[in-house]
Each structure stands twice: as structure tokens, then as C-alpha cells.
Amino acid sequence: SFCTLLEMASVARHCSGLPSKAKALRGMLKSDKLEFLMEAHNGISAKIVEEAGFKAIWGSGLSLSAQLGVRDNNEASWTQCAEVWEFMSNATSIPMLVDADTGYGNFNNARMLVRKLEQIGVAGACIEDKLFPKTNSLLDERGAQPLADVVEFANKITAMKDTQTDENFCVVARIESFIAGWPLEEALKRADAYSAAGADALLVHSKKSNPSDIEAFMAAWDKSKCPVVIVPTNYPTTPVACFQEIGVSSVIWANHNIRASIAAMQATTKKIYEEQSLVEASKNIATVKEVFRLQNQKEYLDAEDKYLPKQ
């Protein structure tokens, strides 16, 4: 029956941890205190983010595609991304906001995505107002990137909000007008439309080397309408106190774990190749015991003692 299906859906959401995770993410976005999300791109990096003390994870599209060895141009399908996000969700107890690019198509693709994300315990999705397939916003050699039609993108947000079954699942609308070279007025027009469509927060993006775009937007935006999230990758020297002062809700550290991983692997691999020895390289890497700990191997060994017959 329909009631039975609803009950089954409720159990599935409970098993995935969605209710508590979605509520926690919504609380962060609505908080008066500046909050921080840290990038992860697989199960072990997600667990490291949680253990470091971060309250939420950013499921970066750039980082996920990089660790799969493909480009950040929707070369990985949304189902391939969802498989990785599920491992990340299962490995952690804190909420994750995923980088869902443009929603992977039109309103229907976006609402299919919401259904899947709720099933696997993902607390929210951030979609950007560009065209599918997307191009990474920080590619310097590209000119102005085309933006989505405002009404169509707003309707996509509404479709996602209409589809969610957990009241706290978050849809964050990412505004790319500064990236595309449009003035403040265009960003504000889009912000009004996306907020009215039901977005739970706005991510205002800029690739300037200073926060002037963000400061101008925050000075003009009515923050009671919708909280604002930023990604200060290109203006890293700006103190976070400045973001708090101008009313930013949350900061995303967007890609530093994948970049740290690449640098560490390049250095270790080069050293082993050149020295044909593990002696020096072994001094600066995690122990195998640490790998086992991050995999929660102890839980398995304890369960083995409990459930397997003794010889």
C-alpha cells in the first residue's frame, strides 16, 4: 500500500542518517555564527574531515572527478558521483553538501538526483546556474561562460524542493554571474529569483583575487531572505573575520584535500622511483595501522569474535 511505501521510505531515510544530517546542515546555513565546510572526495578523506573537527563536508565535483581521473566537465555521470558520495556518507556522521554541478540536466534529472541523495543520506545539493555540461569556474583560459535562463533554473530549484521528502534537505543555488563577467545587478536579480523559488541558501562565486565581488553583493543583499555561502579559493588571504563581519553564513574550503593528496603522492612516488627504496619515503607517510583504523577494522574484528564460531 501507499502507507507501507511511505513507512519503508522513512526507514530508509532513518538508516542513512538523513534526518539528523539534514537538520544539522540546515542549522549551519541558518546560524548567526560563521560556519565551515571542508572538501572531501572519497570515504577516507570524508572521515579525515570529520575527525579534524569540521561540522560538514563539501562533496566537491572538481575533487571527485580528479580522483576518478576525468575532467570537471560532467565526464563522470551523476550515478557514478552518487556511488562515491554514498561511500562518503556511510563513512561519516556529519552532514555533506554535494557539488551537483547544474543538476545534471533539466528539472527531471535534478529531482531524480534529490531522490537518490536522500536515499544515501546526503544532506543537501548545490546546483549552479550554468549550462550542461558544465565547465569549471576557475579555468582562466576560458572567456565568459554561458549562464542558464533565470526562470528555467528557478523552476529547477522548485522541482528539487517539491521532490524532497525530508523537510530539512537543503538546496543551495550557486550564482555564477560574477564568474561570467556580469555586473552586481545580474547577481542580485538571480539571487531574488532563486530565493523566491525556494533555495535554502545562495552560493555566490567569484574568481577575483580579492573579495570585492562578495563584499558588493553582501552590501546590497537582504540577508534575511536567504543565507549566503562563499568559496574563497582565489582570495585565500582574506581573514575569515571579514566574512563574518559582512554577514556570510558559511565558507567552503573547496579543493584542498585533493590538492594535498596529489602533492603528497607525487613526492612519495618520485622519491621511491629515484631511490629504489622505501626507507626515506616511509618516514613521511601514514602507517598501515592508521589505514586500518580509518577503515574501522576494529569493529570488524570485534564482530568476527561475536558472530563467527570459535575453532
Side-chain angles (χ1 to χ4, degrees), residues 218-282:
M218 296 304 297
W221 177 245
D222 179 358
K223 290 172 279 294
S224 66
K225 288 183 180 180
C226 204
V228 175
V229 181
I230 62 170
V231 182
T233 302
N234 272 26
Y235 43 101
T237 59
T238 306
V240 296
C242 295
F243 305 142
Q244 172 85 56
E245 186 177 329
I246 62 177
V248 168
S249 158
S250 303
V251 171
I252 294 174
W253 308 123
N255 48 47
H256 292 73
N257 272 332
I258 190 69
R259 290 161 61 188
S261 300
I262 290 169
M265 287 189 288
Q266 286 173 330
T268 300
T269 303
K270 185 172 186 288
K271 184 177 288 290
I272 293 171
Y273 176 77
E274 291 177 345
E275 298 179 358
Q276 296 186 351
S277 169
L278 300 177
V279 175
E280 290 300 316
S282 296

Side-chain angles (χ1 to χ4, degrees), residues 154-202:
N155 288 343
K156 187 186 294 186
I157 294 167
T158 302
M160 295 173 74
K161 295 302 295 178
D162 286 346
T163 300
Q164 70 186 65
T165 57
D166 189 293
E167 63 181 355
N168 289 312
F169 182 88
C170 296
V171 175
V172 177
R174 174 166 153 177
I175 299 171
E176 292 281 304
S177 52
F178 287 134
I179 297 289
W182 289 87
L184 172 63
E185 290 71 25
E186 181 68 20
L188 292 169
K189 180 183 80 171
R190 289 175 177 268
D192 274 323
Y194 304 162
S195 175
D200 298 293
L202 305 171

Side-chain angles (χ1 to χ4, degrees), residues 6 9-10 13 18-19 22-23 25-26 29-30 97 107-108 110-119 122-127 155-173 197-201:
L6 286 178
S10 176
R13 293 199 303 276
L18 179 63
K23 185 176 181 180
L25 179 60
R26 177 172 293 278
L29 294 175
K30 303 295 183 184
L97 175 66
F107 75 93
N108 194 48
R111 62 183 184 175
M112 288 174 66
L113 175 69
V114 170
R115 294 188 192 107
K116 183 62 175 179
L117 294 180
E118 287 196 321
Q119 289 170 7
V122 170
C126 177
I127 61 168
N155 288 343
K156 187 186 294 186
I157 294 167
T158 302
M160 295 173 74
K161 295 302 295 178
D162 286 346
T163 300
Q164 70 186 65
T165 57
D166 189 293
E167 63 181 355
N168 289 312
F169 182 88
C170 296
V171 175
V172 177
D200 298 293

Side-chain angles (χ1 to χ4, degrees), residues 275-303:
E275 298 179 358
Q276 296 186 351
S277 169
L278 300 177
V279 175
E280 290 300 316
S282 296
K283 295 177 180 178
N284 298 309
I285 60 175
T287 63
V288 175
K289 283 186 177 180
E290 175 63 1
V291 176
F292 289 158
R293 187 192 69 79
L294 287 166
Q295 292 174 306
N296 201 16
Q297 190 69 28
K298 183 180 183 302
E299 189 280 333
Y300 173 78
L301 295 176
D302 291 344

